[in-house]
Amino acid sequence: MIRSILVISLMVVAATASAETRVPQSQAEIGLGFAPVVRKAAPAVVNIYAKIIREGRTNSLFSDPFFQDFFGRGFGEPRQRIQNSLGSGVVLSEDGYVVSNYHVVGTATEIRVVTTDRREYSAKVVLGDKESDIAILRLEEAGELPFLHLRDSDHVEVGELALAIGNPFGVGQTVSSGIISGLARTGTATGNARGYFIQTDAAINPGNSGGALIDVNGDLIGINTSILTRSGGSNGIGFAIPANLVAEFLRQARAGNESFVSPWAGMAGQHMSADIAGSLGLVIPMGVVVSDLHALSPLAEAGLRVGDVVTHVDGDEVNSPAEMKFRMVVAGVGGKSVLTRLRGEERADIEVALIRAPETPAANETTLGEDTALPGLTVSGVNPAVIVRLGLKLSQTGVVVVDPGQYGARAGLRAGDVLEVINGGKIDVPEDVVQVLTDPGRRVQVQIERGGRTISLRFRM
């Protein structure tokens, strides 16, 4: 009996010491279950309670000056309501940095974090990004907290055992087990083709968002973010944000960044289809086809051209624009990446600088004053930084609406609208908008481009 216990103890030590993730090799290992791993990892997974203030909906008639004058200025004003958000988070350092999902805490006015030993901390978001759905929190007056080590998620393989730890439905910390069932999932989880996810069949439910997906060594593989479901519950298809992307967010948070900075490629690309591969003489469809390049693109400066195919970034295969973007984001602004390019039968490795989106030419952001037809309207010239900020097409030029303001919104303008013509005058720079709307007459006609369509807006002064 003593010999059996000794053998099992030695096996536990060996399994813990090894960095290799593997399937249990004996009945004795299987009998241990996941208890040692959970005991190690669970204290670093926290429950998050957040309060979010949202504006209630109101009828558009209530903003009409006639009704406000008739019933009083407070008539029909939207009422604020408090919405409670429940989620999970993972402690990344002993001094209180925590990662969660942006949709859990990104717009919260009050955040409370509760550890497994029932300690409570106030927290604030120090860095968040809605597109990536990641938020880094800093706990106030925290120290010597248990935390999880970030694993290199590029080495995660399909078929590995995985555990999801979180607070589903608010019932308390819960652990579910499964395997890694897919890698490099793009767009499926969010519907916007911008994500890059690890897929698992470990049960993930509402409240698990922001929780940990760990391997059998207790290291963090990713942050649970969403599920694919028709019923609202787990159907065995869950998605986690890879640990390598979390590591870059943590690095920028520690550096004091107030917003997440991604490298700007200045490129539009498309998936490689069988037809495109055939036309390019490729036997196997692979890589990303460069379909457009901005004049200031660092890829263009490095020698890439429209029609080239990018197959690898820093030695890792890429087969979608989202994968390519992910690889460059993980490498980080200020560094360099090596892109493998195919051009006909020529194959070459090209070093590309990872830069911020340039602020040139100057945007000259301008807000219209009270002496204009649309006071509060904020417009800007277009440059690469503005293109990224507002999600404009790569080739966009001209003047864009940054904030319509109260009167601009009532006239039908939205952020991202490109102003082309106002009262017959062509708009080339922000100063043109100020000049035309300072004394426009009784009627104003605005021609805009929105989502590739030309729209005409008319209103009376």
Side-chain angles (χ1 to χ4, degrees):
M1 178 66 178
I2 295 175
R3 184 174 181 275
S4 298
I5 294 174
L6 179 60
V7 170
I8 292 175
S9 299
L10 290 172
M11 294 176 72
V12 172
V13 172
T16 304
S18 172
E20 178 188 6
T21 56
R22 59 186 177 85
V23 176
Q25 301 295 305
S26 67
Q27 187 63 42
E29 286 188 342
I30 294 173
L32 290 173
F34 294 113
V37 180
V38 174
R39 196 159 46 242
K40 169 187 172 184
V45 183
V46 297
N47 296 338
I48 294 179
Y49 303 90
K51 289 185 177 180
I52 301 173
I53 297 179
R54 300 194 185 280
E55 297 287 348
R57 292 185 178 181
T58 184
N59 192 302
S60 60
L61 290 176
F62 294 159
S63 60
D64 190 289
F66 171 79
F67 287 95
Q68 291 184 349
D69 290 341
F70 190 79
F71 292 103
R73 286 291 172 181
F75 174 71
E77 290 184 354
R79 295 182 178 181
Q80 293 182 335
R81 57 187 178 88
I82 297 177
Q83 177 179 320
N84 293 315
S85 175
L86 172 68
S88 306
V90 181
V91 183
L92 300 177
S93 65
E94 65 178 358
D95 58 345
Y97 281 94
V98 174
V99 63
S100 186
N101 285 139
Y102 185 91
H103 75 260
V104 174
V105 298
T107 57
T109 56
E110 181 182 335
I111 304 171
R112 184 165 54 95
V113 175
V114 183
T115 63
T116 54
D117 58 4
R118 295 181 294 281
R119 285 181 290 170
E120 294 191 13
Y121 298 93
S122 294
K124 64 178 182 179
V125 176
V126 293
L127 181 63
D129 184 66
K130 184 177 181 180
E131 181 179 322
S132 301
D133 198 20
I134 299 178
I136 301 294
L137 311 174
R138 184 73 188 272
L139 305 188
E140 298 177 1
E141 300 180 356
E144 298 184 359
L145 292 171
F147 64 96
L148 292 186
H149 293 282
L150 291 163
R151 179 180 168 187
D152 185 349
S153 54
D154 285 346
H155 294 160
V156 174
E157 296 184 80
V158 173
E160 283 191 32
L161 295 173
L163 302 178
I165 308 178
N167 182 17
F169 300 110
V171 300
Q173 192 175 86
T174 301
V175 182
S176 55
S177 66
I179 64 169
I180 302 300
S181 51
L183 298 173
R185 300 302 192 209
T186 55
T188 306
T190 60
N192 63 10
R194 296 176 182 172
Y196 180 94
F197 301 94
I198 295 172
Q199 182 181 317
T200 180
D201 67 350
I204 297 174
N205 286 292
N208 271 115
S209 292
L213 186 69
I214 63 173
D215 62 17
V216 294
N217 294 318
D219 293 331
L220 188 68
I221 297 173
I223 299 299
N224 301 321
T225 185
S226 61
I227 56 177
L228 195 62
T229 179
R230 294 180 180 177
S231 63
S234 176
N235 290 336
I237 302 179
F239 300 96
I241 299 167
N244 284 3
L245 184 56
V246 175
E248 176 61 16
F249 268 81
L250 178 61
R251 186 192 68 79
Q252 292 196 25
R254 285 191 175 281
N257 286 16
E258 295 183 354
S259 59
F260 185 70
V261 180
S262 300
W264 181 70
M267 183 202 87
Q270 63 185 92
H271 297 262
M272 177 70 74
S273 66
D275 290 340
I276 295 175
S279 68
L280 295 174
L282 298 176
V283 177
I284 300 175
M286 62 179 299
V288 179
V289 182
V290 179
S291 58
D292 193 10
L293 283 170
H294 193 279
L296 299 178
S297 167
L299 277 67
E301 184 177 344
L304 268 76
R305 301 197 303 240
V306 172
D308 286 347
V309 178
V310 178
T311 61
H312 295 76
V313 176
D314 293 327
D316 293 305
E317 185 177 313
V318 293
N319 289 299
S320 71
E323 285 184 66
M324 186 173 170
K325 178 179 180 181
F326 171 80
R327 295 296 175 193
M328 297 176 73
V329 168
V330 168
V333 171
K336 294 180 181 293
S337 278
V338 176
L339 276 56
T340 302
R341 180 209 68 193
L342 291 180
R343 180 182 295 165
E345 297 182 356
E346 177 193 349
R347 179 188 179 98
D349 289 335
I350 298 177
E351 191 175 71
V352 175
L354 301 178
I355 65 171
R356 294 171 179 254
E359 295 277 1
T360 53
N364 295 325
E365 187 170 302
T366 303
T367 300
L368 275 63
E370 294 295 330
D371 59 340
T372 66
L374 297 174
L377 171 67
T378 301
V379 296
S380 168
V382 176
N383 60 31
V386 174
I387 288 173
V388 172
R389 177 182 169 191
L390 297 177
L392 306 176
K393 63 184 181 181
L394 196 62
S395 59
Q396 188 64 64
T397 58
V399 178
V400 64
V401 175
V402 175
D403 184 349
Q406 178 183 357
Y407 296 97
R410 191 181 302 173
L413 292 173
R414 303 177 189 171
D417 287 345
V418 178
L419 301 175
E420 296 182 333
V421 179
I422 300 178
N423 281 359
K426 191 174 183 299
I427 304 300
D428 295 314
V429 294
E431 289 75 11
D432 292 341
V433 181
V434 178
Q435 183 177 352
V436 173
L437 291 181
T438 297
D439 188 15
R442 296 294 299 170
R443 297 176 182 272
V444 177
Q445 180 173 341
V446 182
Q447 180 179 306
I448 63 172
E449 179 189 335
R450 177 187 296 166
R453 296 183 301 144
T454 298
I455 300 173
S456 183
L457 304 174
R458 298 179 177 85
F459 58 95
R460 297 180 63 183
M461 298 300 299

